[in-house]
């Protein structure tokens, strides 16, 4: 007989970014660590993105994962921050260079607005480097709180600078 105490599984989309050191290895290491708590269902290609915000820094590699987790939104945030810390990310300037940045884009269809956590991620719909990899794995998904799908949001942006990163 099945237990009624099984934890619910939640669908999450997580954005990975790196622009320091061996960027591909950083993404790989983050995926391995993430998989302790998040079963990875889909992963996008890796894209290279010119630096944004502060321009005088190396280009970013960006990727988006679809996962399944039993963690609550805040526990997931704690876990991502823990992984960033273990991977040696130091507190640095906002939008500045980093070994690894892990952001929660979406958590089921939830909308969350607390000082520590905003879901959907506050700036995701303005960022082609998030929407291009997200559209690759979930173009038809509606963004909660907006009337549009990922693809519809993406069409409103200039994504010409986002190029598929060829590892070879
Ligand atoms: P960035 O905005 O460049 O990703 P950080 O990674 O340093 O900056 O994150 C700053 C803070 O943003 C985190 O400490 C976290 O509390 C907060 N935050 C709010 N919403 C989210 C989210 N959806 N995913 C990740 N962090 C979030
Ligand atoms: Mg972040």
């Amino acid at each position: 007989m099945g237990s009624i105490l099984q934890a619910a599984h939640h669908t999450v989309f997580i954005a990975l970014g790196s622009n320091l050191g061996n960027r591909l290895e950083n993404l790989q290491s983050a995926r391995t660590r993430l998989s302790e708590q998040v079963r990875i269902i889909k992963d996008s290609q890796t894209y290279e993105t010119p630096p944004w915000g502060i321009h005088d820094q190396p280009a970013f590699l960006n990727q988006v994962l679809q996962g399944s987790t039993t963690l609550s939104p805040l526990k997931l945030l704690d876990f991502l921050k823990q992984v960033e810390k273990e991977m040696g990310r130091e507190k640095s300037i906002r939008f500045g260079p980093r070994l690894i940045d892990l952001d929660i884009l979406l958590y089921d269809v939830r909308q969350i607005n607390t000082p520590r956590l905003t879901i959907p991620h506050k700036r995701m719909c303005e960022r082609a480097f998030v929407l291009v990899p997200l559209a690759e794995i979930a173009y038809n998904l509606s963004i909660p709180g907006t009337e549009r799908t990922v693809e519809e949001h993406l069409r409103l942006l200039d994504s010409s600078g986002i190029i598929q990163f060829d590892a070879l």
Side-chain angles (χ1 to χ4, degrees):
M1 205 158 68
S3 162
I4 56 165
L5 294 176
Q6 276 171 354
H9 287 75
H10 302 279
T11 297
V12 296
F13 289 85
I14 297 171
L16 290 66
S18 170
N19 80 333
L20 278 185
N22 188 325
R23 299 170 301 166
L24 270 181
E25 263 179 36
N26 294 340
L27 295 183
Q28 174 58 56
S29 167
R31 285 195 302 273
T32 303
R33 289 162 192 266
L34 281 176
S35 61
E36 282 170 33
Q37 294 287 344
V38 179
R39 188 157 70 86
I40 297 174
I41 309 285
K42 281 187 187 167
D43 55 354
S44 76
Q45 311 277 340
T46 304
Y47 293 86
E48 188 166 48
T49 308
W52 39 275
I54 297 166
H55 294 282
D56 184 19
Q57 60 173 331
F60 278 83
L61 290 189
N62 292 101
Q63 183 181 36
V64 171
L65 307 177
Q66 177 182 343
S68 167
T69 188
T70 59
L71 296 179
S72 70
L74 277 174
K75 291 284 180 216
L76 178 61
L77 179 66
D78 287 340
F79 174 63
L80 297 185
K81 292 285 141 195
Q82 182 62 37
V83 170
E84 285 181 347
K85 214 169 139 195
E86 281 170 13
M87 288 185 59
R89 175 171 170 190
E90 324 219 307
K91 273 238 168 283
S92 69
I93 36 173
R94 191 147 179 252
F95 304 140
R98 66 269 311 268
L99 284 169
I100 194 74
D101 181 37
L102 300 170
D103 290 334
I104 307 170
L105 301 176
L106 302 167
Y107 185 106
D108 291 334
V109 294
R110 302 263 315 256
Q111 295 183 56
I112 297 170
N113 242 306
T114 68
R116 277 195 71 211
L117 185 61
T118 304
I119 292 177
H121 189 282
K122 228 179 242 165
R123 292 166 294 276
M124 64 177 284
C125 294
E126 302 146 28
R127 294 178 168 175
F129 64 84
V130 171
L131 294 189
V132 167
L134 180 59
E136 188 197 319
I137 59 175
Y139 71 97
N140 212 12
L141 198 71
S142 291
I143 307 292
T146 77
E147 313 273 274
R148 296 193 179 100
T149 64
V150 173
E151 194 187 27
E152 287 163 349
H153 280 287
L154 183 55
R155 268 200 235 117
L156 303 173
L157 302 181
D158 172 13
S159 56
S160 55
I162 319 291
I163 52 169
Q164 202 170 305
F165 184 71
D166 191 341
L168 298 177

